[in-house]
Amino acid sequence: MTSAEATAHYFKKAARIMDVGERIETLLASPLREVKVQVSIELDNGEIRTFNGYRVQHDNARGPMKGGLRYHPLVDADEVLSLASLMTWKTAVVNLPFGGAKGGITVDPTGLSTKELERLTRKFVDQIQDIIGPTRDIPAPDVNTNPQVMAWIMDQYSKYHGHSPAVVTGKPIDLYGSRGREAATGRGLLYIAREIARDVGLPVKGTRFAIQGFGNVGSHAARLIHEDGGIIVAVSDVNGGVRNPKGLDVPALFDHARKSGSVKGFQGGNPCGNEELLTCDCDVLVPAALGNVITKSVAAEVRAKIVIEGANAPCTPEADEVFEKKGVLVVPDILANAGGVTVSYFEWVQNLQHVTWDEDRVNTELEKLMREAYDRVANISRTRKLPLRTSAYVLAIGRVGKATVLRGI
Ligand code: NAD
């Protein structure tokens, strides 16, 4: 199953339970616009290289479309389409006035200099500036893109349309970014972990977490869960991992990762491969790297009782079925990692109103929206006896469907 087929599978499963009808189902499943551009830049050595860039705008019934921008060698049209539709359902689950979109460039950014990366980003904006905008489609960071990339996007877009900080979120704090945005996805994940803890009687304090990925989502999740008393027994990144059944010294791990660029080689534990991490002895598994890492066979070996999807689409639908049979509780991406887009929404609001919120306000509002979303999803799950993922889709499809019908088809 491709990524787009997997997302369509979850959507269809919930749409059929809701009996939305074939016409509305087709309407909600189809993207509004799929754009592919060739981005050619001059490298520092004078060579010309051309990269494929994508922006897929999935749905705008509930508001301007919102979604990250990914720089990765595996980015393709199918993956971007799947991630764009996930954004439609995610923004609806947390009840933000946004639709869904996603973009990316097929590139390994580690092979480019900073100047080359800047040229690539600006050239990409030149080609999509007429379809994005503060009231149309608002990009944000995703895998391998960061506040600096967002700053270039804002600057390049503003050359065409005048000063427009609200065109992109996840900007640096010194350039219209929001306090709390950087840690928002990890923080939102912690708030969800606390809600789950209440429901299943497994408090974060003393619970053993394994986290795959130590980037924006994984590292902040690890830090905040550790500060909340959780025990981080394993972490990994693209280079490898480290585990310690007694719990890793997270501040020391951060020091090591800052100095060496990876969690690999940290002396406070034993080396651990990526698959080993996914199947290690822990209570809660947090895949927070890339999609499709938990396949059917990996799922069969997973020992955690709870999986919280920090990454987008880390579990394949086949793995999801295995978890359902094994009684593993899966908190879906469209709920678990919605903290990032929620604080992106706060950033957009601050930019449009020319105001700055302090971090306490951001975190308080984030907690409120994440808890509300969890309560709504958990309530559907309890009353309709559905898994959390299907329940989240039922909530989202209901909201997007209503907006679509009210606006007129
Ligand atoms: P990032 O680029 O900051 O970090 C990605 C991490 O994954 C890095 O530590 C990298 O080394 C690691 N990684 C890459 N390939 C790996 C592999 N094969 N095995 C193990 N680790 C690997 O990206 P991010 O922003 O943290 O995003 C991670 C995931 O979370 C993505 O699926 C993204 O779509 C999703 N997400 C991110 C945000 C956000 O606000 N950044 C919000 C929602 C969802």
Side-chain angles (χ1 to χ4, degrees):
M1 222 184 265
T2 65
S3 304
E5 282 165 355
T7 317
H9 164 85
Y10 296 133
F11 165 77
K12 267 195 198 135
K13 193 170 162 191
R16 303 266 154 98
I17 288 169
M18 298 167 77
D19 202 15
V20 296
E22 209 176 306
R23 286 174 65 227
I24 298 285
E25 189 180 309
T26 308
L27 194 68
L28 296 182
S30 319
L32 287 182
R33 185 188 264 149
E34 294 172 89
V35 173
K36 179 181 177 192
V37 294
Q38 316 293 319
V39 195
S40 298
I41 58 159
E42 188 179 340
L43 301 181
D44 295 345
N45 65 8
E47 269 176 46
I48 302 284
R49 284 270 301 278
T50 301
F51 302 89
N52 288 330
Y54 302 89
R55 189 74 188 166
V56 174
Q57 299 177 327
H58 181 258
D59 192 278
N60 64 357
R62 291 171 44 84
M65 293 164 285
K66 187 91 193 77
L69 197 58
R70 178 177 288 201
Y71 289 177
H72 194 273
L74 296 180
V75 163
D76 62 19
D78 181 84
E79 183 189 63
V80 178
L81 169 59
S82 141
L83 294 168
S85 70
L86 272 186
M87 287 307 297
T88 298
W89 314 125
K90 190 182 299 182
T91 53
V93 165
V94 266
N95 212 7
L96 307 179
F98 285 140
K102 200 81 179 191
I105 301 180
T106 314
V107 59
D108 177 4
T110 56
L112 295 183
S113 70
T114 305
K115 280 283 161 209
E116 288 166 341
L117 204 59
E118 178 176 352
R119 283 200 287 278
L120 181 72
T121 303
R122 290 186 185 276
K123 207 62 188 292
F124 183 54
V125 175
D126 288 342
Q127 281 159 296
I128 61 163
Q129 53 79 22
D130 53 341
I131 60 158
I132 60 172
T135 59
R136 291 177 153 214
D137 176 1
I138 305 134
D142 194 78
V143 176
N144 292 332
T145 56
N146 57 24
Q148 176 60 73
V149 174
M150 301 304 119
W152 292 327
I153 294 176
M154 178 200 135
D155 183 67
Q156 194 67 10
Y157 179 87
S158 295
K159 286 178 183 162
Y160 289 92
H161 301 276
H163 181 62
S164 312
V167 65
V168 68
T169 57
K171 299 178 292 293
I173 299 274
D174 292 326
L175 194 75
Y176 301 94
S178 176
R179 295 203 163 74
R181 172 61 183 91
E182 211 196 310
T185 309
R187 185 174 289 280
L189 198 144
L190 168 73
Y191 292 150
I192 292 294
R194 284 187 189 159
E195 294 304 302
I196 292 283
R198 228 189 307 274
D199 267 4
V200 304
L202 195 70
V204 172
K205 189 163 192 245
T207 290
R208 297 167 309 147
F209 290 77
I211 303 181
Q212 186 191 48
F214 204 68
N216 177 283
V217 182
S219 69
H220 287 292
R223 176 176 64 79
L224 292 164
I225 288 168
H226 171 74
E227 285 170 12
D228 226 39
I231 301 167
I232 310 294
V233 292
V235 293
S236 69
D237 61 27
V238 68
N239 300 308
V242 57
R243 63 185 282 206
N244 183 340
K246 294 199 181 106
L248 294 160
D249 177 345
V250 174
L253 177 68
F254 266 81
D255 267 357
H256 171 83
R258 214 176 353 253
K259 283 182 199 137
S260 71
S262 172
V263 295
K264 191 180 172 194
F266 178 59
Q267 292 302 306
N270 296 320
C272 162
N274 258 306
E275 180 147 345
E276 196 185 339
L277 178 136
L278 296 172
T279 58
C280 77
D281 188 16
C282 64
D283 303 308
V284 181
L285 175 64
V286 181
L290 294 176
N292 296 323
V293 288
I294 304 184
T295 56
K296 187 177 173 181
S297 56
V298 174
E301 302 297 322
V302 165
R303 284 193 265 173
K305 298 182 260 314
I306 299 170
V307 175
I308 306 183
E309 293 187 334
N312 284 317
C315 302
T316 65
E318 295 83 5
D320 220 42
E321 274 170 30
V322 173
F323 285 142
E324 219 177 308
K325 282 197 194 116
K326 280 172 64 169
V328 173
L329 185 67
V330 179
V331 189
D333 44 11
I334 57 173
L335 172 64
N337 69 31
V341 71
T342 302
V343 176
S344 272
Y345 163 59
F346 300 156
E347 181 175 331
W348 180 74
V349 167
Q350 292 170 72
N351 293 160
L352 293 178
Q353 297 183 349
H354 310 283
V355 295
T356 306
W357 295 3
D358 61 31
E359 192 168 341
D360 280 350
R361 176 164 180 196
V362 169
N363 293 344
T364 306
E365 298 281 341
L366 172 63
E367 183 167 16
K368 184 167 156 256
L369 291 194
M370 295 300 291
R371 286 178 75 160
E372 273 172 19
Y374 177 80
D375 282 350
R376 295 293 292 264
V377 171
N379 192 33
I380 294 172
S381 169
R382 257 190 309 273
T383 53
R384 302 184 70 163
K385 307 221 170 339
L386 294 171
L388 288 177
R389 190 188 308 279
T390 313
S391 307
Y393 274 85
V394 166
L395 176 63
I397 293 169
R399 285 176 169 162
V400 178
K402 256 182 228 147
T404 306
V405 172
L406 284 169
R407 290 179 76 142
I409 296 165

